[in-house]
């Protein structure tokens, strides 16, 4: 067994059984090793698709995928979606091919400082020293990525370590993996006192607290105390829809967010921080809470929110209370012109049971998702890092993670262009992804932000950097070029009908929602 | 005048008059400042297009362009082509938008270690401290980028520095810019002695020595001494074709390269290093020269090769000699099946006077470019850093730099997919670029490398990571989706005819060369 085979065997043994790959010459032995029948290999035509897909996989499976990237530049191409995954607390094991150690001496063209490129966005970086230590290094990487919260582990694999004999695999004990900590009971008790008082309180849930038993416990606490439950504007994954405990969403715009948070005496955070503005603006605050609001960190990022919220529910005597739940919304089949409301209604009426929504609709979808609160139960995934081009790759990974569920990726036209190569992988793998492109021919969010920034009235050149017409992107041709069938809709009825049709059509589809 | 306006005014004053931009919220004031009539702004829908275009601009203009990128992840998306530009010794000024300093305290979602991301691939990184120092910082960045060899300068621009008042601009004296050094005469004399001896010698020319008066001087030296003139397999820009001094090309494959270099007693390097293998392979050497070859560094990377080679020609008494020149090749109009030879002949016969060839044809074009030696005089540009996806962006920048010249970008299908968003910018700007896609539906180079690596016979999973069929990319649809007219050719006659047609058709075109 050579080093590459040992690496793949160790990944599989440690539970990492998918690799999103964009290989190059230095990774040929790794490629050969991918023929391990327990490893699924998925080819991506651009590295940002690979790392984003690994993020999507983690969001749905709560365990890391691996990526295979080609030297420093291959890693660089994947970094933006590694940033997004990191901010989403997604674990990921990146394998970065590298020249053999002896060859690096000669400064070959593809040489770069891979550790330097990896460190700013990785929690853990290691260069494999020898094929003999590769199993240990790989198991360590998986251990790092698999903790709570998930972490970015980057393993640099020199060619010689890949092709030399690995000897017997030695791996660290799996007990080295870190489990989530149990929250301190003093904090639980203090928050219980606050929730028993008549002062207003809002619990803001983040990361893994927005789903499963943690969400149910939060629903019990709200039922028992009347406190409000909310999330940041962006969440890594929320279980929502009819029958689930509903969470309010803190608005994106600074003015709306401060208004939303005004009058709240206590903000209680669970696996997240107090709300802050996404960007900085002249003369607008970074902190969004009111001046007299007190923030309490109930459950820290590395703690177990299910245990913590259940402890809190028990402390409140609400352990058996019926949780607050969302009623189903009965929407008449939408029709007429495409507006934010009619789009939301079409979406809401078409979300299938157990659907997965990946949202990168910066303007069109932003203010409308609240209208989908009463849709059939589904998961909602947001971009946590703010780097554009996360949507279609994350949808790709989520669809691979959950082959029996329909993924609906709603994405602006500007955003979709960053990592549009995702469509090809969706077509190759026959993934059940419906990509909905909001085609408004502009970076509409930037038009709003231009004015938010107080940058005056855009001149012709500035405006040309915000409009993405000239030429208009032909989304039907784009989809077809990569083997994805596509349709264009110009009214809400057609959008609704096409969404329903895609729900029951296996494989990927694209719907262009023409807004211009 | 605010900081952003001061920045743009300084760029323009220092000779940087184009900006390849992919802006975000934090760059709104910069965007407003781009309305400066002396600055041309070009929107790119992905950052790798912006940085690659800046590289192409430098290759043709020998002066830096600027890029505008959105925080750490925007920079990350541009890094692979920054790596390529760095390896090509192209100068570039990257402006990276950043949160205002006060906002960074709160660790907002888009925060990352921008310096950390920039440093591995930049020669110079600075964070603007205040709007008052922005002119100084900008002029320093341009000075750094404009030296010889060109350098990567990265300037981080916090929002508050952008929007606050800049006061009076203070800039460093332009004498601070570093000019190329004059080579040491002792080295010149020593090499002259070698060339006067009867020992075999090859001069390997790199960077700016492959064009203009440096190339003419090299041609004189070869004519007077019989020495061979060569380049590395990849060169940043070569002036070649009929009437120019021809340069041999060191082959890519290790076996061929060592054979090519065997029997050469003296390798003399000019603005480059001794030849090394691009990748490391088990049981193949990294150094390509024969054991008894002596390497002489005649002109270092930071020296002036025109002066140096003219000094050498004078020392050899060859200052007025007629240089070795390439005769024109008369090729019959090619016809018949598409083969590497017929493709080369079609290209050779169709290269227009003063055309610019950007070559990213990893397999199809690799061994055939020698057949274009006798074409009409043209420039040839290669990928110096080896990161895939350089071709279409560099072609975009070259076409903007030289609006009166036809750019022909020859690129494999796999490579083209990394940064295909270039087509949109080419359409928007009406650039005279003919993109020729060699569509073989595979990463063909990797099939060859798999065997070169001794990785055995690829299994089904490994092979699936090398083939990019399933689905077949429809290049006509891809081009049309971004507003570029396209045709498909299936024989050499049609390729030749379509290349000629594109030469005289203003604006971009795409030709799919169907090889499957």
């Amino acid at each position: 067994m050579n080093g590459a085979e040992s690496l793949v065997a160790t990944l599989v043994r440690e539970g990492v059984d998918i690799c999103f790959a964009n290989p190059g010459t230095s990774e040929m032995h790794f490629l050969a090793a991918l023929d391990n029948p327990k490893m699924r290999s998925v080819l991506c035509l651009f590295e940002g698709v690979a790392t984003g897909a690994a993020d999507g996989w983690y969001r749905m499976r709560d365990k890391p995928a691996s990526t295979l990237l080609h030297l420093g530049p291959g890693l660089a191409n994947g970094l933006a979606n590694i940033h997004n995954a990191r901010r989403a607390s997604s674990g990921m094991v990146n394998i970065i091919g590298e020249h053999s150690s002896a060859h690096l001496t000669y400064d070959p063209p593809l040489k770069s400082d891979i550790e330097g490129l990896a460190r700013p966005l990785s929690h853990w970086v290691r260069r494999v020293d020898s094929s003999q230590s590769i199993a240990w290094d790989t198991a360590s990487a998986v251990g790092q990525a698999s903790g709570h919260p998930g972490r970015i582990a980057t393993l640099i694999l020199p060619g010689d370590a890949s092709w030399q004999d690995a000897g017997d695999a030695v791996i660290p004990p799996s007990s080295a993996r870190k489990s989530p900590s149990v929250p301190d009971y003093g904090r639980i008790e203090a928050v219980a006192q606050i929730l028993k008082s008549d002062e207003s309180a809002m619990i803001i849930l983040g990361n893994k607290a927005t789903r499963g038993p943690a969400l149910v416990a939060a629903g019990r606490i709200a039922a028992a105390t009347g406190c409000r439950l909310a999330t940041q504007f962006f969440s890594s994954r929320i279980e929502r829809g009819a029958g689930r405990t509903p969470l309010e969403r803190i608005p994106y715009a600074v003015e709306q967010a401060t208004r939303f948070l005004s009058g709240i005496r206590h903000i209680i955070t669970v696996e997240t921080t107090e709300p802050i503005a996404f960007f900085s603006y002249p003369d607008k605050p970074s902190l969004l809470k009111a001046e007299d609001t007190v923030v309490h960190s109930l459950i820290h990022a590395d703690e177990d929110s299910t245990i913590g919220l259940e402890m809190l529910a028990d402390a409140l005597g609400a352990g058996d209370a019926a949780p607050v739940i969302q009623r189903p919304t009965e929407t008449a089949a939408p029709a007429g012109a495409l507006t934010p409301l009619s789009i939301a209604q079409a979406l809401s009426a078409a979300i299938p049971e157990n659907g997965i929504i990946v949202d990168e609709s910066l303007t069109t979808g932003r203010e409308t998702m609240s209208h989908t609160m009463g849709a059939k139960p589904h998961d909602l995934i947001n971009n946590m890092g703010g780097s554009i081009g996360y949507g279609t790759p994350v949808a790709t990974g989520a669809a691979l993670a959950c082959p029996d569920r329909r993924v609906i990726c709603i994405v602006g036209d500007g955003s979709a262009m960053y990592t549009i190569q995702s469509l090809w992988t969706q077509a190759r793998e026959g993934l059940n992804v419906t990509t909905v492109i909001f085609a408004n021919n502009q970076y509409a969010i930037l038009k709003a932000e231009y004015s938010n920034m107080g940058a005056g009235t855009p001149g012709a050149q500035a405006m040309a950097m915000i409009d993405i017409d000239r030429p208009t992107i032909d989304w039907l041709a784009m989809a077809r070029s990569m083997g994805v069938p596509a349709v264009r809709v110009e009214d809400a009825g057609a959008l609704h009908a096409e969404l329903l049709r895609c729900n029951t059509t296996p494989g990927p589809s694209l719907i262009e929602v023409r807004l211009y």
Side-chain angles (χ1 to χ4, degrees), chain A:
Chain A
M1 188 175 272
N2 65 24
E5 289 161 342
S6 174
L7 196 165
V8 173
T10 309
L11 285 175
V12 167
R13 192 168 49 230
E14 298 292 305
V16 176
D17 51 9
I18 192 163
C19 181
F20 297 100
N22 186 268
T25 296
S26 38
E27 293 85 53
M28 288 299 106
H29 292 85
F30 189 94
L31 212 57
L34 283 179
D35 257 295
N36 185 319
K38 292 180 183 158
M39 175 63 82
R40 179 164 189 180
S41 309
V42 177
L43 178 61
C44 302
L45 299 188
F46 176 70
E47 294 88 345
V49 178
T51 53
D55 185 8
W57 175 270
Y58 185 92
R59 303 254 198 141
M60 297 313 301
R61 288 274 184 111
D62 287 324
K63 67 173 195 172
S66 61
T67 68
L68 174 63
L69 309 174
H70 183 48
L71 297 106
L75 169 62
N77 279 337
L79 283 175
N81 273 333
I82 289 176
H83 168 86
N84 288 329
R86 184 171 186 262
R87 290 284 176 171
S89 299
S90 295
M92 182 184 304
V93 177
N94 300 302
I95 313 290
I96 317 299
E98 166 67 302
H99 294 298
S100 70
S101 314
H103 195 58
L104 287 171
T105 317
Y106 303 106
D107 193 30
L110 263 166
K111 180 182 173 183
S112 64
D113 174 5
I114 302 181
E115 279 89 344
L117 289 166
R119 272 200 201 98
L121 296 167
S122 301
H123 297 91
W124 182 93
V125 179
R126 183 176 294 174
R127 176 177 292 252
V128 173
D129 264 343
S130 112
S131 49
Q132 307 277 324
S133 67
I134 220 164
W136 184 282
D137 294 332
T138 305
S140 302
V142 177
Q144 286 287 332
S146 306
H148 173 76
R151 288 155 60 92
I152 309 295
T154 299
L155 190 62
I156 302 167
L157 177 65
D160 43 356
S162 212
W163 67 60
Q164 286 167 358
D165 184 62
D168 292 330
V170 181
I171 62 165
S174 63
S175 60
R177 288 200 193 177
K178 205 174 160 301
S179 302
S181 312
V182 175
D184 171 70
Y185 192 68
R187 273 185 268 135
I188 307 280
E189 275 197 311
V191 167
Q193 289 310 316
I194 291 164
L195 294 180
K196 284 181 194 163
S197 77
D198 58 4
E199 296 190 324
S200 59
M202 174 180 283
I203 303 179
I204 304 179
L205 303 169
N207 200 14
K208 292 182 181 162
T210 55
R211 49 193 168 95
L215 180 59
V216 173
R220 290 196 167 112
I221 293 161
T225 68
C227 74
R228 290 166 67 182
L229 300 177
T231 64
Q232 308 282 0
F233 188 74
F234 294 117
S235 297
S236 51
R237 170 151 77 99
I238 307 178
E239 288 178 354
R240 70 201 286 272
R244 300 258 174 78
T245 293
L247 304 173
E248 298 180 69
R249 188 181 194 186
I250 301 173
Y252 181 86
V254 173
E255 291 82 353
Q256 291 170 259
T258 50
R259 205 175 314 128
F260 178 88
L261 294 171
S262 68
I264 296 169
R265 178 72 181 133
H266 299 281
I267 284 179
I268 296 154
T269 60
V270 175
E271 291 194 53
T272 185
T273 62
E274 73 163 288
I276 56 162
F278 204 84
F279 285 107
S280 52
Y281 306 84
D283 312 319
K284 293 184 190 177
S286 290
L287 294 179
L288 301 174
K289 67 173 185 288
E291 235 172 68
D292 61 347
T293 302
V294 185
V295 178
H296 312 266
S297 173
L298 175 65
I299 298 169
H300 301 168
D302 62 343
E303 292 176 341
D304 188 317
S305 51
T306 298
I307 293 177
L309 290 168
E310 287 176 350
M311 282 161 73
L312 179 59
D314 286 343
L316 291 164
D320 297 319
V324 175
I325 62 161
Q326 171 71 45
R327 297 257 181 94
T329 312
E330 299 301 336
T331 314
L338 289 163
T339 64
L341 181 61
S342 73
I343 288 171
Q345 288 170 333
L347 184 62
S348 185
I351 291 175
E353 182 94 20
N354 230 4
I356 300 167
I357 312 295
V358 176
D359 184 5
E360 194 175 19
S361 59
L362 298 191
T363 36
T364 309
R366 175 164 289 181
E367 305 307 336
T368 62
M369 281 308 290
S370 61
H371 298 283
T372 61
M373 292 284 287
K376 295 200 179 77
H378 62 276
D379 285 33
L380 172 65
I381 288 175
N382 290 133
N383 185 355
M384 299 301 287
S387 179
I388 303 303
Y390 107 103
T392 63
V394 166
T396 303
L400 278 156
C402 303
D404 299 332
R405 299 171 66 175
R406 169 63 43 175
V407 178
I408 300 177
C409 177
I410 58 176
V411 54
D413 47 4
S415 301
M417 283 301 289
Y418 287 73
T419 45
I420 193 61
Q421 302 91 339
S422 307
L423 295 182
W424 185 87
T425 297
Q426 291 173 13
R428 169 175 268 207
E429 301 291 335
L431 304 182
N432 295 323
V433 180
T434 306
T435 302
V436 180
I437 303 275
F438 294 125
N440 59 15
N441 267 331
Q442 52 185 310
Y443 290 143
I445 186 168
L446 294 186
K447 291 200 177 165
E449 292 289 49
Y450 202 95
S451 127
N452 285 336
M453 275 286 174
T457 307
Q461 284 227 59
M463 197 57 114
M465 299 300 102
I466 299 178
D467 280 322
I468 59 170
D469 59 348
R470 301 182 295 116
T472 299
I473 295 162
D474 178 342
W475 286 101
L476 303 194
M478 177 66 80
R480 196 169 60 250
S481 76
M482 288 180 273
V484 172
V487 294
R488 180 178 290 138
V489 299
E490 310 203 9
D491 66 69
L495 172 57
H496 179 237
E498 291 295 339
L499 283 166
L500 291 181
R501 185 187 55 75
C502 292
N503 284 349
T504 56
T505 308
S509 302
L510 183 143
I511 301 172
E512 177 190 342
V513 180
R514 185 174 190 149
L515 298 173
Y516 57 94

